[in-house]
Amino acid sequence: MNENQSAYDAYSHFLIIDLEATCCDRKTVPRDEMEIIEIGAVIVANNSLKPLAEFQTFIQPVRHPQLTPFCTELTSITQHDVETAPRFPEALDALLKWSESYDACLFCSWGDYDKSQFQQDCRYHGRAYPFGETHLNLKKQFSKAQGSRKRFGMARALKLAGLSLEGTHHRGIDDARNMARLMPWILGKQKLPGHSKA
């Protein structure tokens, strides 16, 4: 998909998603066995770039059900959070049911990781990937809109835009909310102060 204005003009809403997943700094959770443990999502109206609704759920992992200390430290998600949570198929159904009242949604995330992780979990659980081929890489679009060849993490992008990071970084719902706040810069409606130096 061409990530320019005409590409996303066709969509009434942006579905901004941030995922947290099982992980380990000692390689006990291979990349291809990582599982989503939180979905955070915010619907943003294309015409106003205002957030309209949000969704959050923890998810109970089944391949590596015990969270590593590294994962909990990184995300602040606890074993209790995931043990009392729905499994992926039920959580996915809840996300889709919540989002279906907003027509013409474009799936967006910071980078391509969230898309590939969704695809991986859908394959494992025998579910069809629900978002099609359309996906807006907000990290890439932010740099493009600001005329920078560099790629920035979300926290760095907030700082460049003069925004403070709200909530807890590496928590799905908080990161999705922060991405929603960045949408004017991501789509080029606002320019970074001194953006030529970015």
Side-chain angles (χ1 to χ4, degrees), residues 22-43:
T22 52
C23 55
C24 184
D25 57 345
R26 298 180 179 178
K27 301 185 179 177
T28 61
V29 181
R31 173 66 190 88
D32 62 357
E33 293 180 10
M34 288 169 62
E35 297 170 87
I36 300 167
I37 55 172
E38 184 191 9
I39 299 172
V42 177
I43 295 277

Side-chain angles (χ1 to χ4, degrees), residues 5 17 45 59 91 95 98 110 120 125 127 143 166:
Q5 183 64 45
I17 292 180
I59 296 174
L95 171 69
W98 166 77
W110 200 266
Q120 178 169 297
H125 289 277
R127 293 293 301 269
S143 294
E166 295 182 354

Side-chain angles (χ1 to χ4, degrees), residues 18-24 34-41 55-61 64-86 113-114 167-176:
D18 188 76
L19 305 176
E20 303 305 328
T22 52
C23 55
C24 184
M34 288 169 62
E35 297 170 87
I36 300 167
I37 55 172
E38 184 191 9
I39 299 172
F55 172 92
Q56 187 277 340
T57 185
F58 294 118
I59 296 174
Q60 184 180 154
H64 297 275
Q66 187 72 34
L67 299 186
T68 63
F70 172 80
C71 185
T72 293
E73 184 177 346
L74 178 69
T75 65
S76 79
I77 297 170
T78 68
Q79 190 65 32
H80 176 75
D81 290 331
V82 298
E83 282 180 352
T84 56
Y113 157 75
D114 302 81
T168 302
H169 196 17
H170 300 301
R171 271 298 310 281
I173 188 58
D174 290 338
D175 284 352

Side-chain angles (χ1 to χ4, degrees), residues 123-143:
R123 279 194 303 271
Y124 181 77
H125 289 277
R127 293 293 301 269
Y129 173 72
F131 302 113
E133 289 304 307
T134 56
H135 172 256
L136 184 63
N137 180 328
L138 299 180
K139 177 191 272 191
K140 190 185 294 184
Q141 180 60 33
F142 175 82
S143 294

